[in-house]
Amino acid sequence: MTISKFLSTAAIIFSLTILSAEAKPASDASGRVNKGVELAQQHKYDEAIKEFNAAIEANPKSAKAYLNRGTAYRALQKYDEAMADFAKAIEIAPKDEMGYIERGQTFVMQKQFTEALADLSKAAELKPDNTMAIRLRGFAEIGLGDWDKAAADFTAVLQKDPTDAQAYERRGFVFRSQKKYNEAIADYDKSLEIKPDPDVYAKRGYTYVTYLQNYEKGIADYQQTLRINPSDYDTQQRLQYAQSALAAKNAPPPAPTPAPTPQPGLFTPLNIGIGLVVLLVLIGIIFVVTRRRGGSEDEAESSGRIR
């Protein structure tokens, strides 16, 4: 959920706004709005803001001028100024869903998901067939971890527009978060059929490797990601991990280590026999020595008596 993806939505708002402005009678305010939209579409946001300022001076009740200026401020990441302009657009045209959509989108970009949910639900209420409001509400519900509601919103978007690749990708993310891995893979497949996107290849590969241990398919997705975006460092690391995991999985089992031959203990029959012989010899020696000592004493006593 990157800022760049949201800014692509902002470009759509600019183009829609200029069409609406051109449908009205020419005036200085509408001319300035149209010029500002052209500059914004060229990413010349500071110049666009000057044109929107002039449009607001010419017509302070121009909700479109505030709406477009807020979108230009948001592109420059000047969120406080953008939020003030969206609030003014809502004040001028409270029944127009676009002010709520733009403010809700800006809340999502700042991870203020509860506030975003309120604005985007209001936009969907005002115009139920506006898939932009429903899709962005799905983003807010993802941020809040409300997986079931997010899945329902992306499903509603896909029912209205079956070619919405981003809605398939986001619903795939929701399914993956719910541990519905096969459903996630199916949505990633559909998203890639509509639009081959390296980020989606990487996400599908991650699902294969991390959750399904299908290393072959995961490796194929990572390689496809790097063919499109060779400088993707994270995918390079994940590819190396998947290749190592596959090699370990396919490696032959190690040969069993033979059990060591037990060494004979001290108390073997031979050692016991030798010990007994040694003991008998010692007893014999002690006996002989003892007898000799006893004979010498008798002789001494006898000699004493003879003298």
Side-chain angles (χ1 to χ4, degrees), residues 74 81 88 93 97 125 146-147 196 199 218 235 258 276 282 294 296:
R74 186 178 63 207
E81 292 89 337
K88 188 66 176 178
E97 80 279 3
E125 175 188 329
D146 198 337
W147 308 119
D199 288 341
T235 299
L276 289 173
L282 289 173
S296 298

Side-chain angles (χ1 to χ4, degrees), residues 114-145:
T114 301
E115 295 85 346
L117 192 62
D119 271 350
L120 296 166
S121 294
K122 180 65 175 179
E125 175 188 329
L126 289 170
K127 195 166 185 179
D129 62 345
N130 190 317
T131 57
M132 189 184 304
I134 299 170
R135 182 194 296 106
L136 288 169
R137 187 171 67 182
F139 275 82
E141 287 158 346
I142 286 176
L144 293 169

